[in-house]
Amino acid sequence: RRQKKTASHTVMELENTMDGSQAGQPLLCPSHPREELRLFCEQCDQPVCRECVVDRHQQHRCDFTSNVIHRHGDALRELLKSTQQHVGTLEGVLGQIDAMGSAVQSRAEAVATEISLFASGYVTAIEEHRDRLLKQLEDLQVQKANLLHLQKAQLQQLLLDMRTGVEFTEHLLTSGSDLEILITKGVVASRLTKLNSIAYSTHPSVDDGIHFSPQERAGQCCGYEVFGAILNKVVDPARCTLHGEDLHSARQNQLTGFTLLCNDTTGEQMRRGGEAVWVTITHKDKRDCSVKPTVCDNGDGTYHISYSPEEPGLYTVCIYVKGQHVQSSPFTLTVKNKFREHHGVFHCCTFCSSGGQKAARCACGGTMPGGYQGCGHGHKGHPGCPHWSCCGQVKESSECLGGPPSNTSQRSLLRTV
């Protein structure tokens, strides 16, 4: 009541407004408290009184609320209908989300049970595989220890026999009389000869080549695939071999190569890769000239070495495995010049291919009577078979061994043919 803007407003208790007691009472204009809101301004989209129309809404299109309520009410009903549809859709989606949340929780619990069972079985399989590997390692250790013990016992007995023979012989030579030496010479010499002829290894019969490869497939254990294997094979560079048709020869600027086969101490193929293979190819006459090879690990104990030399000549090839030369390393490689194509013709004889020209020559050196400088069938120097006119080679698919054509007769022969 004390505020100027609300002095003319009607104030009532909240309880009276809840029962709809104000329904049907006219609404007064907030700007003109004595005027009732009976008109509606279309431009301002708000209810107004007559004073408002005369004052601020004089140029606006206004109409009675009873005339425009149907149009605006219908628009609100359409919006309400569309909104109600969204409300139904959202309620359905929320229901689906709740159901999916329950399904996800149930499925996660089931998968967690599966994971626990799988992990428990996997742990059991790994533990069993571990025990099996340790047992295999123990058996391998015992086997190697037995072999070493046997070799040691044999060598100790041989050493004892040799020491006895040496001591007896030394004592005989120093303390025996001439007659005693001559009498026992045959027996002592036979004994020493027999001891010297006994073959024995200067190295231990086994090595310490016991390795564990975590990446090696070890088959299945308790239905699970497991990894990790004990490898007791060790590569022996002295038993590694080289293979290839072009091992000692190559062509300039032509890709060629050979294969390295890695074997263990018993000569068996390693059947696995991963060895440290190092290859050097250097020119014998030109120290700054070398070839960079490419080493390809095939994963089965073989390695393919490929290279392409740019300069002809003699090269020294060294192949190392674990820093040691392999068998047949180092060796000499001969690099020949580029394959020379034939510049002549592959013919039966000069007489036929030149059309009977007397000046036509052939590299085979054959001649014909009557002043012909080239070869003819059955005449002196003819190879007896078709051959190349430029170098005399009798193989059609071969390299030309002669030089480029330099005389007029050869060019005339080529032109005629």
Side-chain angles (χ1 to χ4, degrees), residues 39-219:
L39 300 172
F40 186 79
C41 179
E42 296 285 351
Q43 182 173 346
C44 298
D45 194 28
Q46 66 178 13
V48 293
C49 66
R50 289 179 299 178
E51 294 294 334
C52 292
V53 173
V54 176
D55 186 10
R56 292 179 297 176
H57 301 268
Q58 187 175 5
Q59 302 298 327
H60 298 175
R61 187 180 66 177
C62 298
D63 200 353
F64 288 100
T65 56
S66 59
N67 296 334
V68 300
I69 186 60
H70 300 289
R71 178 162 50 85
H72 290 279
D74 291 342
L76 284 177
R77 290 187 188 92
E78 291 296 327
L79 289 175
L80 175 63
K81 186 177 180 180
S82 176
T83 305
Q84 288 175 340
Q85 292 179 352
H86 287 293
V87 170
T89 303
L90 289 173
E91 289 176 348
V93 172
L94 289 174
Q96 294 179 2
I97 291 175
D98 292 337
M100 185 57 67
S102 300
V104 168
Q105 182 178 359
S106 300
R107 186 58 187 160
E109 293 175 354
V111 172
T113 303
E114 294 179 4
I115 292 175
S116 299
L117 292 175
F118 171 80
S120 177
Y122 209 169
V123 169
T124 303
I126 292 177
E127 290 177 347
E128 184 174 335
H129 181 54
R130 176 201 61 193
D131 297 339
R132 191 166 59 186
L133 287 175
L134 292 176
K135 181 64 169 60
Q136 182 181 353
L137 177 62
E138 182 181 358
D139 294 342
L140 183 60
Q141 178 186 0
V142 171
Q143 178 185 358
K144 287 179 176 288
N146 290 337
L147 292 175
L148 290 174
H149 180 72
L150 177 60
Q151 183 186 17
K152 181 179 180 181
Q154 293 174 347
L155 292 179
Q156 286 178 340
Q157 183 61 45
L158 180 60
L159 178 61
L160 179 60
D161 294 341
M162 286 189 173
R163 283 179 175 173
T164 303
V166 168
E167 292 175 358
F168 179 81
T169 306
E170 289 179 347
H171 179 71
L172 176 64
L173 293 175
T174 55
S175 304
S177 63
D178 296 343
L179 184 58
E180 291 175 339
I181 294 176
L182 293 176
I183 292 174
T184 58
K185 175 183 71 68
V187 178
V188 173
S190 176
R191 178 60 175 168
L192 293 180
T193 302
K194 184 178 180 180
L195 290 174
N196 291 332
S197 63
I198 297 177
Y200 59 91
S201 176
T202 58
H203 301 283
S205 58
V206 297
D207 51 39
D208 60 347
I210 303 176
H211 302 277
F212 176 68
S213 177
Q215 297 82 14
E216 196 84 13
R217 292 181 179 271

Side-chain angles (χ1 to χ4, degrees), residues 29 95 183 279 315 375:
C29 177
I183 292 174
V279 181
Y315 288 79
C375 60

Side-chain angles (χ1 to χ4, degrees), residues 197-414:
S197 63
I198 297 177
Y200 59 91
S201 176
T202 58
H203 301 283
S205 58
V206 297
D207 51 39
D208 60 347
I210 303 176
H211 302 277
F212 176 68
S213 177
Q215 297 82 14
E216 196 84 13
R217 292 181 179 271
Q220 288 194 349
C221 183
C222 300
Y224 295 87
E225 186 176 5
V226 292
F227 293 82
I230 296 177
L231 306 176
N232 59 344
K233 281 189 173 184
V234 178
V235 65
D236 186 359
R239 293 182 179 269
C240 298
T241 56
L242 302 173
H243 304 272
E245 296 181 358
D246 301 329
L247 188 60
H248 298 282
S249 62
R251 288 282 181 182
Q252 182 182 5
N253 294 329
Q254 182 177 345
L255 184 64
T256 185
F258 53 90
T259 301
L260 168 66
L261 176 61
C262 287
N263 299 319
D264 61 5
T265 54
T266 62
E268 295 184 2
Q269 186 175 339
M270 291 296 297
R271 302 294 181 185
R272 59 181 174 85
E275 302 296 342
V277 178
W278 181 35
V279 181
T280 61
I281 305 176
T282 56
H283 201 287
K284 284 191 173 183
D285 299 329
K286 302 178 181 179
R287 294 185 177 180
D288 56 343
C289 180
S290 62
V291 180
K292 186 177 181 181
T294 301
V295 180
C296 179
D297 187 351
N298 298 324
D300 58 355
T302 62
Y303 301 80
H304 184 71
I305 294 95
S306 58
Y307 60 94
S308 178
E310 297 181 356
E311 294 287 338
L314 297 178
Y315 288 79
T316 300
V317 182
C318 298
I319 298 97
Y320 304 91
V321 173
K322 291 186 175 180
Q324 301 180 28
H325 280 284
V326 301
Q327 197 176 125
S328 304
S329 175
F331 63 89
T332 301
L333 170 68
T334 303
V335 177
K336 300 179 181 179
N337 292 318
K338 295 181 181 179
F339 189 88
R340 290 184 292 179
E341 302 288 343
H342 291 281
H343 55 264
V345 293
F346 192 70
H347 62 175
C348 59
C349 69
T350 306
F351 181 82
C352 296
S353 60
S354 66
Q357 292 186 18
K358 290 187 175 182
R361 297 176 178 273
C362 183
C364 71
T367 57
M368 290 178 60
Y372 289 93
Q373 301 180 14
C375 60
H377 297 292
H379 295 288
K380 181 181 178 181
H382 189 275
C385 59
H387 54 280
W388 286 98
S389 63
C390 50
C391 62
Q393 286 272 58
V394 295
K395 291 185 178 181
E396 186 173 5
S397 57
S398 61
E399 182 183 9
C400 183
L401 301 180
S406 58
N407 53 63
T408 307
S409 300
Q410 185 70 21
R411 290 196 296 270
S412 175
L413 170 61
L414 293 173

